[in-house]
Amino acid sequence: MPWGRRAWARGRVLAGCAVLTAGLLAFPGAVPGSPGRLGSLLDTFLPWLGLVIVLLTGLALLRRSAVALLALLLPTAVWTHLFAGLLLPGTASGPHGLVVVQHNVSDENTDPAGTAGSLAAAGPDLIALQELVPPALPVYVRTLAEDYPYHAVRGTVGLWSKHPLTGARPLDIRPRDVTEPWSRGLRAVVHTPYGEVSAYVAHLPSIRFGASGLASSRRDESAGLLGSALAAERLDRVILLGDLNGTVDDRGLAPLTSRTDGARRGFAFSYPAGLPLVRIDQVMARSARVDHIRALPATGSDHLPVAARVTLL
């Protein structure tokens, strides 16, 4: 049955929801950070507004609302512009390419040897790990030693490399109110066949959901400290690998995303491992291009590993 004139008269609420969804996608910064860090919460789950578009489309079809379907073209176009490119196949890496793996291995991982073997099977040039605890560290060192003769560990983060490492040192990214021993950052120079690269490995503080909303002040402060370190880095080429406890859209990571670029292809949702909803494990770069990022099979961690192809420029 033709929809007729009534199709243009009904569904105006749905049309309004479509316009609102488009506004949130296009201008997430308009949502204030407080109360409850609502802005960061929206940033974190921004790609999932695509499901809202699908839901609204279904309702518009049920209501036979032409005005709602027409309005839905707007958020669909914005979502496509922002995220559809991530779904495309990754481009081939350039001649100066590296493969890197980033993984929070979990301090409760009961199979560090299996985890290390799984990461090495991907054949990366670099492996960055977080939540390395003393009982498991010797297992990672021993398991990775044959293929990765160079490694540096500072506190609970580490970097394994097929290429020589020099200048390894800890990074002070500890929030001011943390008084206990806390070392979650390192910087080292990787001597690749294509020149020197400064590699940063970091594990930013966790964010928490509570009655007052999203608690991210520690994470944001640590991101600021890490951003300052990147700004002072003397080498042009930088690769940042880490559990940043935030997505690349999260405004709390602006000190990092303003100084480095993320992946051009791939969503690679990495957390939680049982039902990945977001990618908080990141590979970012300066004077280099992250061509593609993907999630690797689950290990004994609550995070999935991510692997990325990086072209040095």
Side-chain angles (χ1 to χ4, degrees):
M1 178 185 298
W3 287 10
R5 294 181 180 177
R6 294 186 61 187
W8 294 97
R10 58 190 169 214
R12 293 181 180 177
V13 172
L14 290 175
C17 291
V19 173
L20 175 61
T21 302
L24 292 174
L25 280 165
F27 306 105
V31 177
S34 60
R37 306 273 177 168
L38 290 176
S40 282
L41 187 61
L42 172 63
D43 298 340
T44 298
F45 294 101
L46 200 63
W48 291 103
L49 287 182
L51 292 182
V52 175
I53 298 172
V54 172
L55 175 61
L56 291 175
T57 301
L59 292 174
L61 290 171
L62 287 174
R63 289 277 293 150
R64 294 173 177 254
S65 171
V67 67
L69 288 173
L70 183 63
L72 280 162
L73 294 176
L74 185 58
T76 300
V78 178
W79 192 96
T80 301
H81 172 71
L82 292 175
F83 301 114
L86 295 174
L87 297 172
L88 297 176
T91 57
S93 298
H96 298 165
L98 299 173
V99 176
V100 301
V101 162
Q102 149 61 31
H103 191 28
N104 179 328
V105 295
S106 175
D107 55 8
E108 298 179 352
N109 193 327
T110 59
D111 185 20
T115 296
S118 176
L119 301 179
D125 296 270
L126 301 175
I127 299 176
L129 304 181
Q130 297 83 43
E131 293 199 12
L132 293 169
V133 292
L137 178 57
V139 180
Y140 287 105
V141 173
R142 183 171 61 251
T143 307
L144 295 172
E146 182 176 354
D147 293 325
Y148 299 89
Y150 310 99
H151 78 276
V153 176
R154 298 295 184 272
T156 58
V157 300
L159 178 67
W160 275 257
S161 175
K162 290 185 174 180
H163 313 296
L165 299 176
T166 60
R169 58 177 174 82
L171 291 173
D172 184 6
I173 57 173
R174 179 173 61 177
R176 285 167 292 181
D177 64 346
V178 175
T179 57
E180 66 269 16
W182 198 95
S183 181
R184 292 188 178 187
L186 74 80
R187 179 259 189 195
V189 176
V190 186
H191 298 266
T192 78
Y194 322 113
E196 294 181 345
V197 180
S198 185
Y200 284 70
V201 182
H203 184 191
L204 300 189
S206 299
I207 57 177
R208 295 287 184 262
F209 294 95
S212 60
L214 191 70
S216 64
S217 57
R218 282 184 172 180
R219 192 280 312 271
D220 296 349
E221 182 182 354
S222 191
L225 294 170
L226 181 55
S228 296
L230 291 173
E233 172 57 50
R234 61 179 179 82
L235 291 180
D236 290 333
R237 291 169 167 174
V238 172
I239 298 177
L240 169 62
L241 308 106
D243 174 2
L244 303 185
N245 272 302
T247 70
V248 292
D249 299 306
D250 190 330
R251 68 195 67 179
L253 297 186
L256 308 178
T257 55
S258 63
R259 294 182 171 96
T260 58
D261 295 320
R264 299 186 173 195
R265 298 286 185 269
F267 276 103
F269 294 148
S270 65
Y271 185 83
L275 182 64
L277 296 174
V278 294
R279 185 176 82 241
I280 60 177
D281 296 274
Q282 307 295 348
V283 177
M284 306 169 74
R286 185 180 79 193
S287 295
R289 186 179 67 241
V290 184
D291 296 307
H292 185 264
I293 191 167
R294 64 187 176 95
L296 296 177
T299 65
S301 172
D302 56 342
H303 293 239
L304 294 180
V306 296
R309 298 198 308 269
V310 179
T311 296
L312 304 180
L313 303 179

